[in-house]
Amino acid sequence: MTATVRSRGRADAPSRVSTLAAAVTYRYGLLAVLAVMLVLFSVARPAFMTYANALVVLQSVSVVGIVALGVTVSMTTGGFDLSAGACVGAVVMVTALTMVRFNLTGATAIVAGLLTGLLVAGVNVLLTVVAKVPDLVATLGTLFLFQGLALIVTSGQSVAAGMTADGAPAPGRYTEGFAWLGSGTIASVPVPVVVFALLAAAVYVLLNHTRWGRALYAIGGNAEAARLAGIRVARYRALAYALSGTLAAVAGILLSARLGRGDVGAGDPYLLQSVAAALIGFAVLGANRPNALGTVVGALFIGVMINGLTMLNAPYYAQTFVQGALLVGALVTSYTLRRLR
């Protein structure tokens, strides 16, 4: 009997070790990979680990991070806002047209940009909440709708000071106050980084320390159970998309200020990167759900990787492959290792 117990104990030991390893990897694996990347890039390029380069990385991820925070909020209810990138592009074009084509103030451009984001959110709400169209299909339709609308309004051309409009030079230009949002600093920190930090803190508090956040997570877990518990599911889902549209609009305003022009397709790259940041965030500290802290880490993860590969002169097409590989690894960590744990 004693021998049998001992043999079972020896047999169970490797199982316990593997389970513990899976649990540690599940919780800290992504942070460990990020730390390893920082060390490797710093050794290969000493200029990587400098304050100036850190600001470059933070500024490069600020727009992606803000969009990703909006996508994260939409995901808490079980939705998925695929229109976020198109919203960013539409806001860039609207703000540029407001100042360059119509010669209005930067404050007016900001208001127009925010209203554009709410318009995108409103269409998403009508499709998903009112018409009951599945989120992925609805927001994909909104993506094409506003991409096409931005092209129609500008005739497929970029908007910049000095452009020809109706046979004459456009009367306006980007105002200095608006441009400061993209290139200005606060205590040596770029304005977009400050805005990103403030919005990240606000979303974190909303999702983790308010009843609205708890209601959003409850709907994402089981919408019918949430409804039976008295939560107004439709209202909270509308709130999630309104926040996503507003955050995408803020990102579009910052991007427009940084570019100093309205480039066609300026928002296209931000959908995939923001979705990747939000999904990578699932694996941060074993959260296994959309969360603001994980999304911030995911955005930094992508920014550090791109910046490091760029400093190593890696071709741009290799960077896309590495992003995909890291996203797949994060998803495996989040889902497969969770079951093993």
Side-chain angles (χ1 to χ4, degrees):
M1 182 68 176
T2 305
T4 302
V5 173
R6 288 176 179 174
S7 63
R8 285 179 180 175
R10 287 193 296 269
D12 290 341
S15 177
R16 288 196 296 268
V17 171
S18 61
T19 302
L20 177 61
V24 172
T25 304
Y26 170 70
R27 187 169 181 82
Y28 302 107
L30 188 68
L31 296 177
V33 173
L34 178 59
V36 169
M37 282 201 306
L38 290 172
V39 172
L40 292 178
F41 289 144
S42 300
V43 171
R45 291 290 186 273
F48 175 83
M49 194 59 76
T50 61
Y51 178 71
N53 190 59
L55 291 181
V56 170
V57 172
L58 290 173
Q59 187 164 16
S60 68
V61 305
S62 57
V63 173
V64 173
I66 293 172
V67 179
L69 288 171
V71 173
T72 299
V73 174
S74 71
M75 291 170 66
T76 59
T77 62
F80 209 130
D81 190 359
L82 291 178
S83 66
C87 183
V88 171
V91 170
V92 168
M93 301 306 287
V94 166
T95 53
L97 284 171
T98 301
M99 290 180 287
V100 175
R101 178 69 177 82
F102 300 108
N103 197 24
L104 298 176
T105 64
T108 305
I110 292 173
V111 173
L114 293 174
L115 290 176
T116 301
L118 290 176
L119 176 61
V120 176
V123 174
N124 285 332
V125 171
L126 287 175
L127 291 174
T128 59
V129 178
V130 179
K132 307 297 183 182
V133 178
D135 296 73
L136 287 176
V137 178
T139 56
L140 182 63
T142 308
L143 181 155
F144 288 114
L145 178 66
F146 280 91
Q147 273 186 341
L149 185 61
L151 292 172
I152 291 173
V153 170
T154 61
S155 299
Q157 298 179 347
S158 296
V159 179
M163 64 176 289
T164 301
D166 299 329
R173 61 179 180 82
Y174 272 65
T175 64
E176 292 184 3
F178 187 89
W180 177 81
L181 294 174
S183 58
T185 60
I186 298 176
S188 78
V189 179
V191 173
V193 177
V194 175
V195 175
F196 176 36
L198 293 175
L199 290 176
V203 173
Y204 175 82
V205 172
L206 170 69
L207 295 181
N208 294 277
H209 299 286
T210 68
R211 63 183 180 87
W212 295 284
R214 290 190 290 272
L216 292 173
Y217 278 126
I219 293 169
N222 190 320
E224 182 61 20
R227 185 187 67 80
L228 294 175
I231 297 175
R232 297 181 178 181
V233 175
R235 180 174 296 183
Y236 279 100
R237 294 192 70 211
L239 171 65
Y241 277 109
L243 289 174
S244 180
T246 301
L247 289 170
V250 172
I253 291 169
L254 295 175
L255 179 61
S256 178
R258 190 169 72 190
L259 295 175
R261 55 185 290 130
D263 284 334
V264 176
D268 293 349
Y270 292 95
L271 172 60
L272 294 180
Q273 291 188 7
S274 63
V275 169
L279 290 176
I280 288 173
F282 276 50
V284 175
L285 297 178
N288 197 42
R289 67 176 185 174
N291 66 98
L293 176 61
T295 297
V296 170
V297 174
L300 291 174
F301 195 92
I302 294 174
V304 166
M305 181 203 65
I306 293 177
N307 180 266
L309 291 177
T310 301
M311 294 186 74
L312 293 175
N313 297 320
Y316 71 92
Y317 46 82
Q319 296 179 14
T320 302
F321 172 80
V322 174
Q323 286 185 62
L326 291 175
L327 176 57
V328 170
L331 293 176
V332 170
T333 300
S334 182
Y335 292 99
T336 305
L337 292 181
R338 176 171 63 92
R339 290 195 298 268
L340 292 176
R341 187 191 64 167

